[in-house]
mmCIF file with all atom_site columns, all heavy atoms in Angstrom:
data_model
loop_
_atom_site.group_PDB
_atom_site.id
_atom_site.type_symbol
_atom_site.label_atom_id
_atom_site.label_alt_id
_atom_site.label_comp_id
_atom_site.label_asym_id
_atom_site.label_entity_id
_atom_site.label_seq_id
_atom_site.pdbx_PDB_ins_code
_atom_site.Cartn_x
_atom_site.Cartn_y
_atom_site.Cartn_z
_atom_site.occupancy
_atom_site.B_iso_or_equiv
_atom_site.pdbx_formal_charge
_atom_site.auth_seq_id
_atom_site.auth_comp_id
_atom_site.auth_asym_id
_atom_site.auth_atom_id
_atom_site.pdbx_PDB_model_num
ATOM 1   N N   . THR A 1 156 ? -10.022 -29.155 9.287  1.00 0.00 ? 184 THR A N   1
ATOM 2   C CA  . THR A 1 156 ? -8.820  -29.788 8.718  1.00 0.00 ? 184 THR A CA  1
ATOM 3   C C   . THR A 1 156 ? -9.101  -30.317 7.302  1.00 0.00 ? 184 THR A C   1
ATOM 4   O O   . THR A 1 156 ? -10.263 -30.463 6.886  1.00 0.00 ? 184 THR A O   1
ATOM 5   C CB  . THR A 1 156 ? -8.370  -30.955 9.581  1.00 0.00 ? 184 THR A CB  1
ATOM 6   O OG1 . THR A 1 156 ? -9.369  -31.989 9.529  1.00 0.00 ? 184 THR A OG1 1
ATOM 7   C CG2 . THR A 1 156 ? -8.174  -30.534 11.036 1.00 0.00 ? 184 THR A CG2 1
ATOM 8   N N   . ARG A 1 157 ? -8.041  -30.541 6.588  1.00 0.00 ? 185 ARG A N   1
ATOM 9   C CA  . ARG A 1 157 ? -8.138  -31.086 5.229  1.00 0.00 ? 185 ARG A CA  1
ATOM 10  C C   . ARG A 1 157 ? -8.841  -32.434 5.261  1.00 0.00 ? 185 ARG A C   1
ATOM 11  O O   . ARG A 1 157 ? -9.697  -32.723 4.421  1.00 0.00 ? 185 ARG A O   1
ATOM 12  C CB  . ARG A 1 157 ? -6.742  -31.228 4.654  1.00 0.00 ? 185 ARG A CB  1
ATOM 13  C CG  . ARG A 1 157 ? -6.638  -32.038 3.359  1.00 0.00 ? 185 ARG A CG  1
ATOM 14  C CD  . ARG A 1 157 ? -7.036  -31.269 2.130  1.00 0.00 ? 185 ARG A CD  1
ATOM 15  N NE  . ARG A 1 157 ? -6.880  -32.076 0.930  1.00 0.00 ? 185 ARG A NE  1
ATOM 16  C CZ  . ARG A 1 157 ? -7.029  -31.605 -0.293 1.00 0.00 ? 185 ARG A CZ  1
ATOM 17  N NH1 . ARG A 1 157 ? -7.347  -30.341 -0.486 1.00 0.00 ? 185 ARG A NH1 1
ATOM 18  N NH2 . ARG A 1 157 ? -6.879  -32.392 -1.346 1.00 0.00 ? 185 ARG A NH2 1
ATOM 19  N N   . SER A 1 158 ? -8.532  -33.272 6.239  1.00 0.00 ? 186 SER A N   1
ATOM 20  C CA  . SER A 1 158 ? -9.164  -34.604 6.302  1.00 0.00 ? 186 SER A CA  1
ATOM 21  C C   . SER A 1 158 ? -10.660 -34.482 6.540  1.00 0.00 ? 186 SER A C   1
ATOM 22  O O   . SER A 1 158 ? -11.462 -35.283 6.015  1.00 0.00 ? 186 SER A O   1
ATOM 23  C CB  . SER A 1 158 ? -8.510  -35.445 7.386  1.00 0.00 ? 186 SER A CB  1
ATOM 24  O OG  . SER A 1 158 ? -8.644  -34.837 8.659  1.00 0.00 ? 186 SER A OG  1
ATOM 25  N N   . GLU A 1 159 ? -11.081 -33.494 7.310  1.00 0.00 ? 187 GLU A N   1
ATOM 26  C CA  . GLU A 1 159 ? -12.519 -33.292 7.549  1.00 0.00 ? 187 GLU A CA  1
ATOM 27  C C   . GLU A 1 159 ? -13.226 -32.842 6.253  1.00 0.00 ? 187 GLU A C   1
ATOM 28  O O   . GLU A 1 159 ? -14.349 -33.273 5.990  1.00 0.00 ? 187 GLU A O   1
ATOM 29  C CB  . GLU A 1 159 ? -12.734 -32.252 8.637  1.00 0.00 ? 187 GLU A CB  1
ATOM 30  C CG  . GLU A 1 159 ? -12.368 -32.750 10.030 1.00 0.00 ? 187 GLU A CG  1
ATOM 31  C CD  . GLU A 1 159 ? -12.407 -31.674 11.083 1.00 0.00 ? 187 GLU A CD  1
ATOM 32  O OE1 . GLU A 1 159 ? -12.070 -30.507 10.754 1.00 0.00 ? 187 GLU A OE1 1
ATOM 33  O OE2 . GLU A 1 159 ? -12.747 -31.995 12.246 1.00 0.00 ? 187 GLU A OE2 1
ATOM 34  N N   . LEU A 1 160 ? -12.574 -32.048 5.458  1.00 0.00 ? 188 LEU A N   1
ATOM 35  C CA  . LEU A 1 160 ? -13.142 -31.622 4.186  1.00 0.00 ? 188 LEU A CA  1
ATOM 36  C C   . LEU A 1 160 ? -13.196 -32.813 3.217  1.00 0.00 ? 188 LEU A C   1
ATOM 37  O O   . LEU A 1 160 ? -14.182 -32.987 2.493  1.00 0.00 ? 188 LEU A O   1
ATOM 38  C CB  . LEU A 1 160 ? -12.314 -30.508 3.579  1.00 0.00 ? 188 LEU A CB  1
ATOM 39  C CG  . LEU A 1 160 ? -12.386 -29.137 4.304  1.00 0.00 ? 188 LEU A CG  1
ATOM 40  C CD1 . LEU A 1 160 ? -11.398 -28.164 3.684  1.00 0.00 ? 188 LEU A CD1 1
ATOM 41  C CD2 . LEU A 1 160 ? -13.810 -28.560 4.228  1.00 0.00 ? 188 LEU A CD2 1
ATOM 42  N N   . GLU A 1 161 ? -12.159 -33.648 3.210  1.00 0.00 ? 189 GLU A N   1
ATOM 43  C CA  . GLU A 1 161 ? -12.190 -34.849 2.369  1.00 0.00 ? 189 GLU A CA  1
ATOM 44  C C   . GLU A 1 161 ? -13.327 -35.768 2.763  1.00 0.00 ? 189 GLU A C   1
ATOM 45  O O   . GLU A 1 161 ? -13.993 -36.347 1.898  1.00 0.00 ? 189 GLU A O   1
ATOM 46  C CB  . GLU A 1 161 ? -10.834 -35.568 2.494  1.00 0.00 ? 189 GLU A CB  1
ATOM 47  C CG  . GLU A 1 161 ? -9.662  -34.854 1.874  1.00 0.00 ? 189 GLU A CG  1
ATOM 48  C CD  . GLU A 1 161 ? -8.326  -35.507 2.165  1.00 0.00 ? 189 GLU A CD  1
ATOM 49  O OE1 . GLU A 1 161 ? -8.285  -36.355 3.121  1.00 0.00 ? 189 GLU A OE1 1
ATOM 50  O OE2 . GLU A 1 161 ? -7.338  -35.212 1.489  1.00 0.00 ? 189 GLU A OE2 1
ATOM 51  N N   . GLU A 1 162 ? -13.542 -35.888 4.072  1.00 0.00 ? 190 GLU A N   1
ATOM 52  C CA  . GLU A 1 162 ? -14.633 -36.715 4.546  1.00 0.00 ? 190 GLU A CA  1
ATOM 53  C C   . GLU A 1 162 ? -16.003 -36.159 4.103  1.00 0.00 ? 190 GLU A C   1
ATOM 54  O O   . GLU A 1 162 ? -16.892 -36.906 3.686  1.00 0.00 ? 190 GLU A O   1
ATOM 55  C CB  . GLU A 1 162 ? -14.587 -36.789 6.073  1.00 0.00 ? 190 GLU A CB  1
ATOM 56  C CG  . GLU A 1 162 ? -15.598 -37.761 6.687  1.00 0.00 ? 190 GLU A CG  1
ATOM 57  C CD  . GLU A 1 162 ? -15.471 -37.831 8.204  1.00 0.00 ? 190 GLU A CD  1
ATOM 58  O OE1 . GLU A 1 162 ? -14.423 -37.411 8.723  1.00 0.00 ? 190 GLU A OE1 1
ATOM 59  O OE2 . GLU A 1 162 ? -16.413 -38.310 8.842  1.00 0.00 ? 190 GLU A OE2 1
ATOM 60  N N   . PHE A 1 163 ? -16.144 -34.849 4.160  1.00 0.00 ? 191 PHE A N   1
ATOM 61  C CA  . PHE A 1 163 ? -17.406 -34.193 3.731  1.00 0.00 ? 191 PHE A CA  1
ATOM 62  C C   . PHE A 1 163 ? -17.649 -34.443 2.229  1.00 0.00 ? 191 PHE A C   1
ATOM 63  O O   . PHE A 1 163 ? -18.759 -34.791 1.799  1.00 0.00 ? 191 PHE A O   1
ATOM 64  C CB  . PHE A 1 163 ? -17.322 -32.697 4.003  1.00 0.00 ? 191 PHE A CB  1
ATOM 65  C CG  . PHE A 1 163 ? -18.479 -31.903 3.484  1.00 0.00 ? 191 PHE A CG  1
ATOM 66  C CD1 . PHE A 1 163 ? -19.672 -31.839 4.195  1.00 0.00 ? 191 PHE A CD1 1
ATOM 67  C CD2 . PHE A 1 163 ? -18.377 -31.224 2.281  1.00 0.00 ? 191 PHE A CD2 1
ATOM 68  C CE1 . PHE A 1 163 ? -20.751 -31.123 3.692  1.00 0.00 ? 191 PHE A CE1 1
ATOM 69  C CE2 . PHE A 1 163 ? -19.442 -30.491 1.772  1.00 0.00 ? 191 PHE A CE2 1
ATOM 70  C CZ  . PHE A 1 163 ? -20.624 -30.427 2.479  1.00 0.00 ? 191 PHE A CZ  1
ATOM 71  N N   . ILE A 1 164 ? -16.597 -34.312 1.435  1.00 0.00 ? 192 ILE A N   1
ATOM 72  C CA  . ILE A 1 164 ? -16.691 -34.514 -0.017 1.00 0.00 ? 192 ILE A CA  1
ATOM 73  C C   . ILE A 1 164 ? -17.087 -35.960 -0.293 1.00 0.00 ? 192 ILE A C   1
ATOM 74  O O   . ILE A 1 164 ? -17.954 -36.259 -1.131 1.00 0.00 ? 192 ILE A O   1
ATOM 75  C CB  . ILE A 1 164 ? -15.361 -34.163 -0.697 1.00 0.00 ? 192 ILE A CB  1
ATOM 76  C CG1 . ILE A 1 164 ? -15.105 -32.658 -0.715 1.00 0.00 ? 192 ILE A CG1 1
ATOM 77  C CG2 . ILE A 1 164 ? -15.304 -34.741 -2.109 1.00 0.00 ? 192 ILE A CG2 1
ATOM 78  C CD1 . ILE A 1 164 ? -15.950 -31.882 -1.685 1.00 0.00 ? 192 ILE A CD1 1
ATOM 79  N N   . SER A 1 165 ? -16.436 -36.893 0.412  1.00 0.00 ? 193 SER A N   1
ATOM 80  C CA  . SER A 1 165 ? -16.710 -38.325 0.179  1.00 0.00 ? 193 SER A CA  1
ATOM 81  C C   . SER A 1 165 ? -18.117 -38.721 0.599  1.00 0.00 ? 193 SER A C   1
ATOM 82  O O   . SER A 1 165 ? -18.816 -39.411 -0.155 1.00 0.00 ? 193 SER A O   1
ATOM 83  C CB  . SER A 1 165 ? -15.680 -39.147 0.955  1.00 0.00 ? 193 SER A CB  1
ATOM 84  O OG  . SER A 1 165 ? -15.939 -40.544 0.810  1.00 0.00 ? 193 SER A OG  1
ATOM 85  N N   . GLU A 1 166 ? -18.530 -38.251 1.726  1.00 0.00 ? 194 GLU A N   1
ATOM 86  C CA  . GLU A 1 166 ? -19.871 -38.614 2.232  1.00 0.00 ? 194 GLU A CA  1
ATOM 87  C C   . GLU A 1 166 ? -20.986 -38.090 1.337  1.00 0.00 ? 194 GLU A C   1
ATOM 88  O O   . GLU A 1 166 ? -22.050 -38.690 1.224  1.00 0.00 ? 194 GLU A O   1
ATOM 89  C CB  . GLU A 1 166 ? -20.063 -38.058 3.650  1.00 0.00 ? 194 GLU A CB  1
ATOM 90  C CG  . GLU A 1 166 ? -19.279 -38.807 4.731  1.00 0.00 ? 194 GLU A CG  1
ATOM 91  C CD  . GLU A 1 166 ? -19.482 -38.216 6.095  1.00 0.00 ? 194 GLU A CD  1
ATOM 92  O OE1 . GLU A 1 166 ? -20.114 -37.124 6.191  1.00 0.00 ? 194 GLU A OE1 1
ATOM 93  O OE2 . GLU A 1 166 ? -18.969 -38.811 7.064  1.00 0.00 ? 194 GLU A OE2 1
ATOM 94  N N   . ASN A 1 167 ? -20.728 -36.957 0.710  1.00 0.00 ? 195 ASN A N   1
ATOM 95  C CA  . ASN A 1 167 ? -21.748 -36.346 -0.167 1.00 0.00 ? 195 ASN A CA  1
ATOM 96  C C   . ASN A 1 167 ? -21.556 -36.679 -1.638 1.00 0.00 ? 195 ASN A C   1
ATOM 97  O O   . ASN A 1 167 ? -22.326 -36.225 -2.478 1.00 0.00 ? 195 ASN A O   1
ATOM 98  C CB  . ASN A 1 167 ? -21.780 -34.833 0.037  1.00 0.00 ? 195 ASN A CB  1
ATOM 99  C CG  . ASN A 1 167 ? -22.302 -34.440 1.396  1.00 0.00 ? 195 ASN A CG  1
ATOM 100 O OD1 . ASN A 1 167 ? -23.510 -34.290 1.589  1.00 0.00 ? 195 ASN A OD1 1
ATOM 101 N ND2 . ASN A 1 167 ? -21.413 -34.247 2.363  1.00 0.00 ? 195 ASN A ND2 1
ATOM 102 N N   . GLY A 1 168 ? -20.554 -37.483 -1.946 1.00 0.00 ? 196 GLY A N   1
ATOM 103 C CA  . GLY A 1 168 ? -20.288 -37.886 -3.333 1.00 0.00 ? 196 GLY A CA  1
ATOM 104 C C   . GLY A 1 168 ? -20.067 -36.736 -4.265 1.00 0.00 ? 196 GLY A C   1
ATOM 105 O O   . GLY A 1 168 ? -20.568 -36.726 -5.407 1.00 0.00 ? 196 GLY A O   1
ATOM 106 N N   . LEU A 1 169 ? -19.282 -35.773 -3.862 1.00 0.00 ? 197 LEU A N   1
ATOM 107 C CA  . LEU A 1 169 ? -19.124 -34.553 -4.637 1.00 0.00 ? 197 LEU A CA  1
ATOM 108 C C   . LEU A 1 169 ? -17.907 -34.630 -5.557 1.00 0.00 ? 197 LEU A C   1
ATOM 109 O O   . LEU A 1 169 ? -16.856 -35.168 -5.178 1.00 0.00 ? 197 LEU A O   1
ATOM 110 C CB  . LEU A 1 169 ? -18.950 -33.343 -3.695 1.00 0.00 ? 197 LEU A CB  1
ATOM 111 C CG  . LEU A 1 169 ? -20.051 -33.151 -2.633 1.00 0.00 ? 197 LEU A CG  1
ATOM 112 C CD1 . LEU A 1 169 ? -19.738 -31.943 -1.756 1.00 0.00 ? 197 LEU A CD1 1
ATOM 113 C CD2 . LEU A 1 169 ? -21.406 -32.973 -3.331 1.00 0.00 ? 197 LEU A CD2 1
ATOM 114 N N   . ALA A 1 170 ? -18.080 -34.103 -6.773 1.00 0.00 ? 198 ALA A N   1
ATOM 115 C CA  . ALA A 1 170 ? -16.966 -34.053 -7.726 1.00 0.00 ? 198 ALA A CA  1
ATOM 116 C C   . ALA A 1 170 ? -16.159 -32.765 -7.529 1.00 0.00 ? 198 ALA A C   1
ATOM 117 O O   . ALA A 1 170 ? -16.708 -31.735 -7.099 1.00 0.00 ? 198 ALA A O   1
ATOM 118 C CB  . ALA A 1 170 ? -17.525 -34.117 -9.139 1.00 0.00 ? 198 ALA A CB  1
#
Side-chain angles (χ1 to χ4, degrees):
T184 67
R185 168 80 177 186
S186 60
E187 289 172 326
L188 291 173
E189 290 172 344
E190 186 178 343
F191 174 82
I192 288 286
S193 177
E194 287 179 353
N195 290 274
L197 305 179

